[in-house]
Amino acid sequence: MAVFDQRESGYWQARIRRKGWPAQSRTFRTKSEAETWARSVESDMDKGAFISTALAERTLFKEIAARFTAEFAPHHYRGVGWQHKLARLVDRLGAYSMASLTQDRVAWYRDQRLQDPDPRFNDPKTAPSVSGATVKTELDLLSKVLDVASKEFRIPLPYGNPVGMIRKPTSGPSRDRRLVGEDFEKLLTACGQSSNTWLKPALQISVETALRQGELLALRWEDVNLEKRVAFLRITKNGEARAVPLTSRAVALLEALPRSIDGRVLPLEKQGLHAVFKTACKRAGIEDFHWHDLRHESISRFAERGDLSVLELAAISGHKTLRMVQVYVQLHATKLAQKLG
């Protein structure tokens, strides 16, 4: 049976002691609220389904985010992209306890973020809203943090992982932006004119390897074997290491590079690369072209060779499923049909 005591403050404390279960207590404004809570707890204990929420209630999300950053992320992430996403999550959810991260709270975060102006545009008043794809990646990271909190940090989530209980924004149609005609040569020339001498080789290596931006910027010389023509990626977007085969052109480009003192193949930072690449695109007269489009360009070129299977393309690109790789093969087949007339 639960015991109820009225405190000097006028609040009521409910205490439950039952053999085989940890003692539970909570304070409420009224006795009726305390009795309602006690009945619910005792009912769950009778069913063997009770989960104590005490630890989740006194642990804030920002505290878990800090532990995630210090204890989990260094072994599973490279680059800084995830840090920016986590910072946005902490900005709105950091002050909430883990127990209060309910389905409604996560849905609120989603709706708020979808109304935020896209920071890539200078004027917030005229900028479009943040894309659904961006918010989806933030929710995916939130889900990962909550899973780690539950499984690694032993923080019980009273309602399970709420991210899986809400509708996620749609990512929208995939970009299929290609460099047509003389665009690639124009862009290559513009990158060569940049004050940052690493920009041009970064562009060339990206197209020759299909590496994601984060993978390219994290690549170190100790993980490159030019003799065997392989680059080893220790941590990727998918969370799994993989070996990337290098074309003879990629090997030549890497051999021509000076060695950076920090051990990285390309000593560039994401924000700096974004700025100089944007300037190069403008100088070349190429609009609506992003760095990630170089990966699409690269995989498309490999597919257009016609001598690589879907599995071989997946080994190069690092896609975990063949669905996305099949898109490139289908595009190639369409071009062949057009040539046949």
Side-chain angles (χ1 to χ4, degrees):
M1 292 289 294
V3 176
F4 305 95
D5 297 314
Q6 189 171 26
R7 320 293 288 188
E8 292 183 4
S9 61
Y11 282 71
W12 286 85
Q13 183 185 58
R15 290 182 287 113
I16 300 174
R17 292 184 181 275
R18 180 173 291 195
K19 185 177 181 180
W21 296 96
Q24 301 295 316
S25 65
R26 186 176 294 187
T27 302
F28 299 89
R29 290 184 301 107
T30 66
K31 186 177 182 180
S32 62
E33 290 177 348
E35 291 172 338
T36 300
W37 172 81
R39 283 195 300 269
S40 175
V41 171
E42 290 179 326
S43 175
D44 286 342
M45 286 180 174
D46 291 338
K47 300 173 186 176
F50 175 71
I51 299 176
S52 174
T53 61
L55 183 57
E57 289 171 355
R58 64 173 181 263
T59 304
L60 301 182
F61 176 72
K62 62 183 178 182
E63 296 171 339
I64 292 299
R67 287 192 64 184
F68 182 88
T69 300
E71 300 175 29
F72 182 84
H75 308 290
H76 297 84
Y77 291 92
R78 279 193 178 181
V80 296
W82 67 272
Q83 295 179 19
H84 298 311
K85 295 181 180 69
L86 187 59
R88 288 191 284 271
L89 290 166
V90 171
D91 183 54
R92 281 196 168 95
L93 300 176
Y96 290 96
S97 72
M98 295 294 288
S100 66
L101 292 184
T102 61
Q103 180 180 349
D104 289 341
R105 179 58 56 192
V106 175
W108 169 83
Y109 174 86
R110 174 200 62 199
D111 296 341
Q112 290 291 311
R113 283 291 289 138
L114 288 172
Q115 296 176 27
D116 288 346
D118 192 323
R120 293 176 298 178
F121 294 81
N122 295 327
D123 187 355
K125 295 181 180 179
T126 59
S129 299
V130 172
S131 71
T134 295
V135 179
K136 183 178 181 299
T137 61
E138 293 172 11
L139 291 174
D140 288 341
L141 179 60
L142 174 60
S143 180
K144 185 64 178 180
V145 173
L146 295 180
D147 277 344
V148 170
S150 175
K151 298 173 183 177
E152 301 291 332
F153 303 156
R154 301 294 189 269
I155 307 293
L157 302 178
Y159 310 103
N161 191 326
V163 180
M165 304 175 192
I166 69 165
R167 174 188 56 79
K168 292 184 181 179
T170 56
S171 298
S174 300
R175 286 177 60 88
D176 60 354
R177 182 73 164 87
R178 293 287 306 275
L179 293 168
V180 297
E182 299 179 353
D183 281 353
F184 181 73
E185 292 302 324
K186 290 179 180 178
L187 183 56
L188 191 63
T189 299
C191 288
Q193 295 169 345
S194 173
S195 59
N196 191 316
T197 57
W198 296 100
L199 179 59
K200 182 177 178 179
L203 170 76
Q204 294 171 301
I205 294 171
S206 179
V207 172
E208 285 295 327
T209 60
L211 293 180
R212 299 179 178 91
Q213 185 187 73
E215 296 168 348
L216 182 67
L217 299 185
L219 187 62
R220 302 182 65 82
W221 282 113
E222 63 196 60
D223 296 324
V224 177
N225 190 320
L226 296 178
E227 183 178 349
K228 294 183 178 180
R229 292 172 50 176
V230 170
F232 183 70
L233 307 179
R234 297 182 181 276
I235 300 178
T236 68
K237 177 183 177 181
N238 296 328
E240 298 179 358
R242 82 173 192 273
V244 179
L246 301 175
T247 65
S248 56
R249 173 63 176 157
V251 171
L253 289 167
L254 289 167
E255 288 178 334
L257 285 179
R259 297 299 177 101
S260 171
I261 59 174
D262 69 358
R264 290 187 295 163
V265 173
L266 294 164
L268 292 163
E269 302 301 330
K270 181 179 179 179
Q271 294 302 318
L273 176 60
H274 172 77
V276 294
F277 183 67
K278 183 178 179 180
T279 300
C281 287
K282 185 175 181 180
R283 186 184 298 118
I286 298 175
E287 299 180 352
D288 188 34
F289 193 79
H290 307 156
W291 185 271
H292 188 71
D293 293 328
L294 292 173
R295 175 169 158 83
H296 177 75
E297 177 72 26
S298 177
I299 302 173
S300 297
R301 291 186 179 193
F302 284 128
E304 289 170 357
R305 287 174 42 148
D307 58 349
L308 296 171
S309 69
V310 176
L311 288 174
E312 289 170 329
L313 284 173
I316 295 171
S317 67
H319 285 104
K320 294 186 72 173
T321 65
L322 300 183
R323 182 179 61 84
M324 287 301 298
V325 184
Q326 190 67 41
V327 172
Y328 295 97
V329 177
Q330 290 170 350
L331 289 172
H332 175 57
T334 301
K335 289 190 176 183
L336 283 179
Q338 293 172 349
K339 290 181 180 180
L340 291 173

